[in-house]
Structure formats: structure tokens, C-alpha cells
Amino acid sequence: MVSLYSTGLELGNLLLGSDLLNQSWDAISKLQQENLLEDPSLPFSVKFRVYEYPPKGSIIAFVCSPNCAVNHLREDFRELVSSDEIRSFDFLCTKSNSSSISLHKAAFALFASLENELSLLKQQFTSNQPLIITGHSLGGSVASLFTLWLLDSLPRYSVQRTLCITFGSPLLGNNGFQKATSEHPTWSSCFLHVVSNKDPVPGFLISDHNASAATLTTPTYYMPFGTYLFCSESGFSCFEEPESILELLMIGSSRCTESENLNNCSQVIDYGHILEQLKNKAICRGISELPDSISNPLQAGTYLMLEATGVGKLQENVNLSYLAMNIEKRAELQAKHKQKVFDPSKKLSITKKSMTYLEWYMKNSLEEAGYYDKYKTRRSRSRDEIESTESLIKHHRTLKLFWKRIVSEVENLPWKEGRTRRMRLLYAATNYRRMVEPLDIAEYYGRGKKDYASQGRSEHYKLLEKWFTDENIHAYQRSKASSLTVDSCFWAYVEEAVISCEVLKDGQSSSQDQESARENLIKFEQYVMDMINNFLVSPEIFLPQSSFMLWWKEYSRVVGNAYTSPLTNFMKDDFHRYA
């Protein structure tokens, strides 16, 4: 169920009541004082310092030279650089977004100027110690990039003890960048951006300064990520939904011309003074002060949050009630999206009931034909058997839908995290593939189709098999027969062998077709013997009425008694011992 209230005010209270923001700004202030003493002829530079804070915590602060924001926010530095030019952040790329991630040119250039030093710094913070990374203006952008770079190298348990806090930082990347960071929910929660309604820099890179709040529906060049804490004389509140944040930034930036913004960029906003003013400020107002148009708790909370940001005082024509309703709708959509995004390892228990049913069905099939053929011939069986098969079909569909979604989500994760997730799921994924794909094969050939492996096989089976192959799990030697045939496409090859056998029997088939069928059958014989010699097939393939044994009987008649091969020798007597 979607949450119908907002926690933006409560989160703002929690943050302002802690020392995290004050300590971060103190570190920035110290470094700014040092930076002012630097050579003013070096206007395009970024500095950082590490400050130790008890207990056993550290703060890394980033600031730019005083005129850096002015010069780096001019038109030639407002452009984006593509993923081809930001190799340091390849870990954000997935198959679906590898060409769509772009970063602010100025921010990346400043980060790249320190990359060697930051590489050494990154090596110092790989343990589970609390760490705050902070920065002001473009220094905040560099702090964000360093945080992402660091998060990629940290073990999962250390990520939650890392926090990036920026003050007055401009937008950092495009829609692709925002989507890539949102693929890591634990990473997204590590970023807090503090914005004053008097600071022009955070909204300066928005491409359309003249767009109205009511018509902001098209994607923009730049898109925010993480959580934003908006501060004003009226109060403060937090927002997480990116389009709502963008709308608020746009309202704040629209009151200034570009020349005014550039002139104001060099005036450092004293966020320390703002934090002190707001720390003890009461922000929760009585519900009686809300307008009549507010109809539910989520709208009420959103309205109070908007009042706290002071956006109503920035533009006379801003309708807070209307804006609250728009943000409420987005918040509900975001909540629904979060419900759909799930951790496969946690939800794997959903499939246990279905897998248990398949195992029961398999055990009850080991009489004459076996698991594959019992399902294949389900329409010709008794009422009781048909009912059990109908239940199997339901569980079969449940498992396929679940694993298709799993595979799609894991494949879209950045490579490093995707591989880690694959490893955790690999045993269950392999077991699923070997139990369920034979059912798909039975349905496919039951409809009179051919060439399942290249024409009918689902992409998610191919990817699951690739996961297995990539990890070399099949490399060890077996000493006894597998309970499940290891190659989940085995029965497809049996069906193709049956088709080739029919071609050989057909007196009207061309000599070319006959020769091709004969070659296919020889390859199939070799394939089967490789599987048998390595104990990779289940003994059920040798059950009297299985498709494999029926094929073998027919094939033996077609090739005649004079024909010999490793498989014919094995099938004379040895198969009984294997079975």
C-alpha cells in the first residue's frame, strides 16, 4: 500500500537537530579560510582536506577557488560530457544506459585534476569507519563524484556509514546519471544536498529557466539525485522525488537573470548562519492553517513542506495548493515504483512453494516415462493426472514470470553489483532452469515446432545459462549421475533427433536432407555419450517410455544391427547400470 503521508518535515527536523550539518559546514569554512590565502592567479582549482572528528570519524571537505563558480558556470562550461569521456565512472554503466550517462563538464574537469591524489585518498577509507564527504558549490559536485567513486570500492556493509553532504551545489548529471544512481538505493541514500532559497547556484544549470511549474513535463538536460534539504526564512524540509526537486529549483532560479546569477555566484552564502537560525525553528503548523483545497494527509504534509522552503515568497504567481497536488501525485508514483523494485535474494522464498510442487510432480513421474514425457503427454491422461498437471502449469508460469523479472533487473544493474547478485542467486537460478525449461520444450514441440534452441528459447534461459558458464561451476568431475539433467536443453536435442530420424525413414526426402539428418544424428550420439560419460544426465532418460528411449528404439531400426558406435555399445547393456 502506498504511503499517504510525507516525512519531509520530520527528516528535516532530524537533520537540523543533529551535528552532521554543522560539522560539515565547519570543515568547509576552515578550508575556505585556507583557500583564500592561496595565489589568486589560480582561479580554476579545487582543494580538499581531511579533518578528524570524534568518535573515530572523519570529514573530507572540498572547496573551489573563490571565482571558480563564476567561471565554470558560464556557457562553455555548462555542457555535459558523455560516458565515453568519463571512464572513471564506468561502474555506473549498464547494458541499458551505457550511452546515456553524462556529467557536468566543469565538475568532471575539477575532479579529473585531482584524480591521482583522490586515488590515494580513496585507499585510506576502505574500512567500516564513519565518514562524511562534504563540499560547497562546485566543491560539492567534486565531493559527490568522489563519494560515488569511493562507494564503488567499499564493501556493502560500509556503504551505510558514508554520507555526502553538499551545500549550494549545482546539478551534476543528466537523466541517465540520475537513473543510474537510483539503481543503487543504498547509494542514493548517501547523498544530502542543502540548498538555500537565496542561493542561485543549485538551479543555475537548469536548461529552461522560463518554463512554468505547471508545464514542467519534458525531461531537462540536468536532473537532481539524492535527497534535497531546502532552507528558507520560513523553515526547511526534505524532498526526494527528482522532478519535484527540479521544479522547486526552477522556481528559485527563475527570479534572477543569468547576469545576476553570475554576479551572485561569487558571493558565498553563509550556510553556517542559516543552519543556526533554523536549528530551533518551529516548522509544524496546525492543520487549521491549511487551505480548503487540501484533501488528504499527503497533500497536507506536502503543503507544509513547500511553505517551509519559502517558494511561495519567490514568485507571486506560485499556487502552493496546486504545486502540493502535483508533488503528491509524483510521490505516490515514486512509492509504487519502490514497491516494484525488489531484492531478488529476499523474495526468493516466494518461489519455494512452486519449486516444491515441481519436485513432487517429478518424483511422481518416475514410473514409465519420466518428468518430461508425463508433462508432454498430459492431455491424454486421467482426470486426476490432468488436475495435477494443471496445478503444475500454474506453478510453471509463476516461476517463469518471477525469474524473467529477476534476470532483467540483475542484467540492468552495474556490472560489479550485477555479478555479486548473480552469484547469490546462482544455485536457485540453475535449479529453476533445469526443472522448468524442459516443460517449455515439451510445450514447444507439442505445438509441432522445430529448432527450439535457436528459434524458441527464452532470452532469460540463455542468460541464466551464461551466468552458470561464466562461473565455471561445471568444471568439477562428477562421480555419479545427476538427479537433474545438467543441460536444460537436453530434451530439445532429443526432439530434433526424433525429427532427423523421421527424415531418414522418409523415402521421399532429398539426398541432401538425408545427409544432413545423418550428420545431426551422429553429432547427437556424440553429445549423449559426453553427457553420459560425465554423469550429466538423469537416469530418468532411460525409463522405458521416455522420448529418449522411444527415439533409440526407432533409431536402432533405421541404422540396422550392423551399425556400431560408442552409443550403440553402451545401450546394449551398460545403460541398465547407469539407470
Side-chain angles (χ1 to χ4, degrees):
M1 183 176 179
V2 177
S3 172
L4 293 179
Y5 61 91
S6 171
T7 59
L9 294 171
E10 289 81 357
L11 180 56
N13 269 322
L14 178 64
L15 290 167
L16 266 295
S18 73
D19 291 328
L20 294 176
L21 301 183
N22 295 86
Q23 288 181 346
S24 299
W25 185 255
D26 287 346
I28 289 172
S29 297
K30 289 180 184 178
L31 187 52
Q32 282 175 340
Q33 291 302 315
E34 294 178 29
N35 208 30
L36 288 173
L37 301 176
E38 297 285 343
D39 185 352
S41 65
L42 301 173
F44 306 117
S45 62
V46 58
K47 302 286 185 182
F48 70 88
R49 291 284 186 276
V50 179
Y51 300 95
E52 300 301 326
Y53 279 82
K56 297 183 179 178
S58 301
I59 295 181
I60 305 175
F62 289 82
V63 300
C64 294
S65 50
N67 294 323
C68 193
V70 176
N71 291 287
H72 280 68
L73 290 174
R74 291 187 186 277
E75 186 173 350
D76 55 336
F77 276 101
R78 292 172 61 171
E79 61 190 74
L80 291 154
V81 289
S82 67
S83 54
D84 293 336
E85 302 173 71
I86 51 175
R87 297 296 184 187
S88 305
F89 295 90
D90 278 351
F91 57 84
L92 290 173
C93 296
T94 67
K95 289 181 179 179
S96 61
N97 72 9
S98 59
S99 61
S100 63
I101 295 177
S102 299
L103 293 174
H104 180 205
K105 179 179 180 180
F108 182 72
L110 289 168
F111 172 84
S113 70
L114 286 178
E115 190 163 347
N116 291 336
E117 297 171 64
L118 294 179
S119 181
L120 295 174
L121 181 66
K122 183 171 70 167
Q123 296 171 22
Q124 299 175 31
F125 293 96
T126 56
S127 62
N128 193 28
Q129 66 185 85
L131 176 64
I132 294 175
I133 302 166
T134 190
H136 173 252
S137 192
L138 275 164
S141 298
V142 179
S144 294
L145 291 175
F146 176 70
T147 303
L148 286 168
W149 207 37
L150 178 65
L151 290 174
D152 179 56
S153 64
L154 289 176
R156 183 177 293 270
Y157 61 82
S158 292
V159 168
Q160 295 177 344
R161 298 179 68 84
T162 304
L163 179 63
C164 177
I165 301 174
T166 72
F167 296 87
S169 178
L171 297 177
L172 182 55
N174 67 342
N175 289 344
F177 172 73
Q178 186 274 322
K179 289 177 182 177
T181 54
S182 68
E183 293 287 347
H184 298 266
T186 53
W187 287 17
S188 296
S189 64
C190 293
F191 292 88
L192 174 69
H193 307 287
V194 183
V195 172
S196 166
N197 68 332
K198 295 181 179 179
D199 194 342
V201 174
F204 191 73
L205 292 173
I206 297 175
S207 58
D208 184 3
H209 286 264
N210 297 317
S212 66
T215 59
L216 184 63
T217 56
T218 56
T220 60
Y221 246 0
Y222 284 88
M223 184 65 77
F225 75 105
T227 301
Y228 271 67
L229 174 64
F230 286 91
C231 302
S232 75
E233 294 176 353
S234 303
F236 50 86
S237 193
C238 290
F239 290 80
E240 294 182 353
E241 199 282 314
E243 285 191 23
S244 299
I245 294 169
L246 195 69
E247 193 167 7
L248 295 176
L249 291 174
M250 185 173 288
I251 291 171
S253 64
S254 63
R255 64 193 175 99
C256 299
T257 65
E258 181 168 323
S259 60
E260 288 173 337
N261 271 329
L262 284 172
N263 291 331
N264 290 334
C265 281
S266 59
Q267 299 175 13
V268 175
I269 303 296
D270 188 354
Y271 279 92
H273 179 66
I274 293 172
L275 296 176
E276 273 310 311
Q277 282 188 320
L278 295 176
K279 193 164 187 179
N280 299 316
K281 191 173 184 67
I283 61 169
C284 293
R285 297 180 179 180
I287 200 71
S288 60
E289 297 183 29
L290 296 170
D292 294 336
S293 58
I294 298 299
S295 59
N296 62 54
L298 181 55
Q299 283 183 21
T302 305
Y303 186 92
L304 292 174
M305 288 166 59
L306 291 171
E307 273 200 324
T309 65
V311 294
K313 297 178 180 179
L314 296 178
Q315 279 188 17
E316 293 181 1
N317 61 344
V318 172
N319 185 327
L320 287 189
S321 299
Y322 184 78
L323 190 55
M325 285 188 284
N326 282 342
I327 292 177
E328 174 218 6
K329 291 176 184 177
R330 295 193 195 113
E332 287 185 347
L333 289 174
Q334 186 182 38
K336 289 177 182 178
H337 175 72
K338 286 182 177 179
Q339 285 183 329
K340 293 178 182 179
V341 177
F342 62 99
D343 185 343
S345 59
K346 291 181 181 178
K347 297 265 182 161
L348 208 54
S349 58
I350 293 174
T351 68
K352 285 184 178 179
K353 180 180 178 181
S354 295
M355 288 297 289
T356 300
Y357 190 89
L358 262 67
E359 289 169 1
W360 171 85
Y361 187 91
M362 181 178 288
K363 288 178 181 178
N364 283 272
S365 304
L366 300 178
E367 296 174 0
E368 291 188 355
Y371 175 59
Y372 173 78
D373 285 282
K374 182 177 180 179
Y375 185 76
K376 181 182 174 184
T377 58
R378 61 192 182 277
R379 294 180 181 84
S380 61
R381 295 182 173 270
S382 68
R383 179 178 295 275
D384 289 343
E385 288 180 317
I386 290 174
E387 287 179 358
S388 69
T389 305
E390 286 176 349
S391 294
L392 179 70
I393 291 170
K394 292 178 182 177
H395 291 294
H396 172 206
R397 289 173 180 167
T398 298
L399 289 165
K400 277 188 69 176
L401 288 172
F402 177 84
W403 279 101
K404 280 184 175 181
R405 181 177 176 182
I406 289 265
V407 171
S408 176
E409 292 205 2
V410 171
E411 284 295 301
N412 282 325
L413 288 172
W415 184 86
K416 190 174 182 180
E417 185 174 342
R419 186 174 183 275
T420 301
R421 187 77 58 86
R422 280 165 33 186
M423 287 292 291
R424 292 204 304 270
L425 294 167
L426 199 54
Y427 174 79
T430 302
N431 205 39
Y432 154 77
R433 177 171 57 85
R434 291 173 180 172
M435 289 186 72
V436 175
E437 189 166 15
L439 306 182
D440 282 15
I441 293 169
E443 288 184 347
Y444 184 83
Y445 286 95
R447 294 193 293 268
K449 296 185 177 183
K450 299 179 182 180
D451 200 9
Y452 169 85
S454 62
Q455 300 294 328
R457 196 180 192 199
S458 172
E459 187 66 25
H460 85 289
Y461 287 133
K462 296 176 185 178
L463 289 169
L464 288 175
E465 187 172 46
K466 183 177 183 299
W467 293 3
F468 182 79
T469 304
D470 287 348
E471 302 305 329
N472 289 321
I473 295 177
H474 61 293
Y476 71 91
Q477 295 294 316
R478 293 179 178 272
S479 58
K480 61 180 182 179
S482 172
S483 58
L484 282 171
T485 297
V486 168
D487 186 350
S488 56
C489 280
F490 174 82
W491 291 107
Y493 301 136
V494 172
E495 297 288 359
E496 291 299 321
V498 170
I499 293 170
S500 294
C501 208
E502 292 296 323
V503 172
L504 285 185
K505 287 166 52 182
D506 183 5
Q508 295 185 353
S509 58
S510 67
S511 57
Q512 185 177 358
D513 288 342
Q514 294 244 340
E515 183 61 28
S516 177
R518 192 172 288 107
E519 289 177 1
N520 290 338
L521 287 164
I522 291 172
K523 289 178 182 178
F524 178 67
E525 282 194 62
Q526 295 169 344
Y527 162 76
V528 171
M529 282 310 302
D530 285 342
M531 297 283 284
I532 290 170
N533 290 333
N534 290 289
F535 300 100
L536 299 179
V537 288
S538 167
E540 72 167 334
I541 75 167
F542 299 113
L543 290 170
Q545 296 303 311
S546 77
S547 290
F548 176 79
M549 290 301 288
L550 295 177
W551 164 79
W552 173 250
K553 289 175 185 176
E554 191 62 31
Y555 182 59
S556 299
R557 284 195 288 270
V558 171
V559 296
N561 294 330
Y563 176 76
T564 61
S565 69
L567 183 60
T568 59
N569 294 333
F570 176 82
M571 294 299 294
K572 287 176 181 176
D573 186 54
D574 290 349
F575 82 92
H576 291 294
R577 289 194 292 273
Y578 189 99

